[in-house]
Each structure stands twice: as structure tokens, then as C-alpha cells.
Amino acid sequence: ETGVTQSPTHLIKTRGQQVTLRCSSQSGHNTVSWYQQALGQGPQFIFQYYREEENGRGNFPPRFSGLQFPNYSSELNVNALELDDSALYLCASSLKQGANEKLFFGSGTQLSVL
Amino acid sequence: GENVEQHPSTLSVQEGDSAVIKCTYSDSASNYFPWYKQELGKGPQLIIDIRSNVGEKKDQRIAVTLNKTAKHFSLHITETQPEDSAVYFCAASSDLYGSARQLTFGSGTQLTVLP
């Protein structure tokens, strides 16, 4: 049990809508990362949040945005949904400690865009 | 940016045999290499990792080797069991401090252990 929890587990939206996904990090962790996993592929890095600020971003457009709260939980927001946004969205938490940082993933939110 | 290639995409072995999954990476600055196991309906689970100052690491039936000169690393599972059946992902990070800040994943290997 990793301790990272995500909600909701499944979500169906239509093209053009907006969505918010939520993540609670594992106890003792201070960093949250978000990844997108398309069917049959490896996860792709979206961004990481540390001390409530974005701490690195992958190749995703600005309509993907996030927040980290003082209790280290996090939200991923996606605006103007496109069909290609259909994927499993994974949250991972870690303790930022330089060379010993390890990512622990939640079970993800399956987003379907129709 | 970093590119990670993983082979094979599918692997079937008899229970008790060994399984080997190989990955290559493109960025010579990469310094952290974790392996994840993903079961159906679950998120990736960290099973072992290695950093660039180490050539090999072992944890019970699982071992990882790293060849920085050739830019490849491998996962070895010995005495496979049916519960080892899952999708395995390798990943690499070139973060300055060797952290897991931005992982680039391979495309995955579906391992099936036949009883």
C-alpha cells in the first residue's frame, strides 16, 4: 500500500469541458508529480509540484495546470478537453531529498473524453 | 530530451525460469534508473532502482544491472512465480541531483509466467 490516493477513480467528460483530478500524497511526502498514461504506453511526465510551486514540466500545453496545497495534496486541471486527453492520470508523491528521492504512485484516475 | 527504449514488449517464461528485460537510454547525463511493476487496474509500483554510481543492485529475486558506457540497464527476475505476471516499466532521470524529478519511461514489457 503506497498511501497515495486519487479521486475520482473514473470520469467521463465531453470534448471542450474542463476537469479537475485530485491527489493526496503519502504521509511524510512533500512533493507531488503528475503523469499521463495512454493505453499500452508508459507514463509521461506532466509536471511536479514542490513547496506549492511548479518544479519542472513536461511537454504538455498550458491547458494542463496544477496546484499543490499546504497539506501537500494536489489538483490537476485540464481545460478545453480533447479526445486525445483520454488516458489514465497518475499522481505520484515523494520526499524531496536530492539523490534519495523515490516516486510512489497512486492507482490513477481513468479519464474518458467523448 | 531523454529517450528510453525497452525490449521485449512481451515475454513469456515458465514458472521457475529467469526473465530479463532490457532498456537503453539516450541522455548520457541520466543518473537514476527505477523499475516499476504495474498490475491491471493499479498504478506502477516501485520494485527496485539504481543510481549511476552503482553497477549492480540486488533485492531477493530481483536484480538490476547498469552499463553507463553502453547506456543500457537491465532487470533480472530469478525463480519466477505466477504473481510476477504484470507489465514492467523501466525509467530514467537526468535531474541534476539524481532525484526522481522527471522520469522518462520505456514502453513496457508484458511478462507472463506460465504455471
Side-chain angles (χ1 to χ4, degrees), chain A residues 11-28:
Chain A
L11 201 52
I12 299 175
K13 291 286 188 178
T14 56
R15 193 171 48 183
Q17 285 189 314
Q18 178 266 342
V19 68
T20 297
L21 310 181
R22 294 179 174 82
C23 171
S24 293
S25 60
Q26 182 171 321
S27 178

Side-chain angles (χ1 to χ4, degrees), chain A residues 13 39-40 45 69 82 89 91 101 113:
Chain A
K13 291 286 188 178
L39 190 62
F45 176 69
F69 301 100
E82 301 177 359
Y89 288 85
C91 170
E101 182 180 6
V113 182

Side-chain angles (χ1 to χ4, degrees), chain A residues 2 33 35 37 40-45 48 55-59 88 90 94 96 98-108, chain B residues 32 34 36 38 41-46 48-51 57 87 89-90 95 97-108:
Chain A
T2 65
S33 304
Y35 285 76
Q37 186 176 23
Q41 297 182 22
Q44 280 196 296
F45 176 69
Q48 183 184 80
N55 181 43
R57 187 181 184 93
N59 190 27
L88 180 68
L90 295 162
S94 58
K96 183 67 69 179
N100 292 321
E101 182 180 6
K102 299 173 188 282
L103 289 193
F104 295 91
F105 285 86
S107 294
Chain B
Y32 175 60
Y36 286 85
Q38 187 172 27
K42 297 185 179 180
Q45 174 194 3
L46 179 66
I48 196 168
D49 59 2
I50 192 168
R51 299 189 187 270
K57 184 176 179 180
V87 179
F89 291 98
C90 62
D95 187 74
Y97 300 106
S99 75
R101 187 168 69 92
Q102 180 169 340
L103 295 179
T104 300
F105 282 81
S107 54

Side-chain angles (χ1 to χ4, degrees), chain A residues 31-95:
Chain A
T31 304
V32 174
S33 304
W34 286 92
Y35 285 76
Q36 180 195 68
Q37 186 176 23
L39 190 62
Q41 297 182 22
Q44 280 196 296
F45 176 69
I46 303 175
F47 42 56
Q48 183 184 80
Y49 276 82
Y50 172 58
R51 293 182 176 176
E52 302 177 46
E53 292 189 357
E54 191 178 283
N55 181 43
R57 187 181 184 93
N59 190 27
F60 281 81
R63 59 190 185 84
F64 286 78
S65 63
L67 285 172
Q68 185 184 31
F69 301 100
N71 66 354
Y72 306 120
S73 65
S74 177
E75 286 182 356
L76 165 65
N77 298 289
V78 187
N79 294 322
L81 284 168
E82 301 177 359
L83 298 180
D84 286 348
D85 295 334
S86 294
L88 180 68
Y89 288 85
L90 295 162
C91 170
S93 73
S94 58
L95 177 62

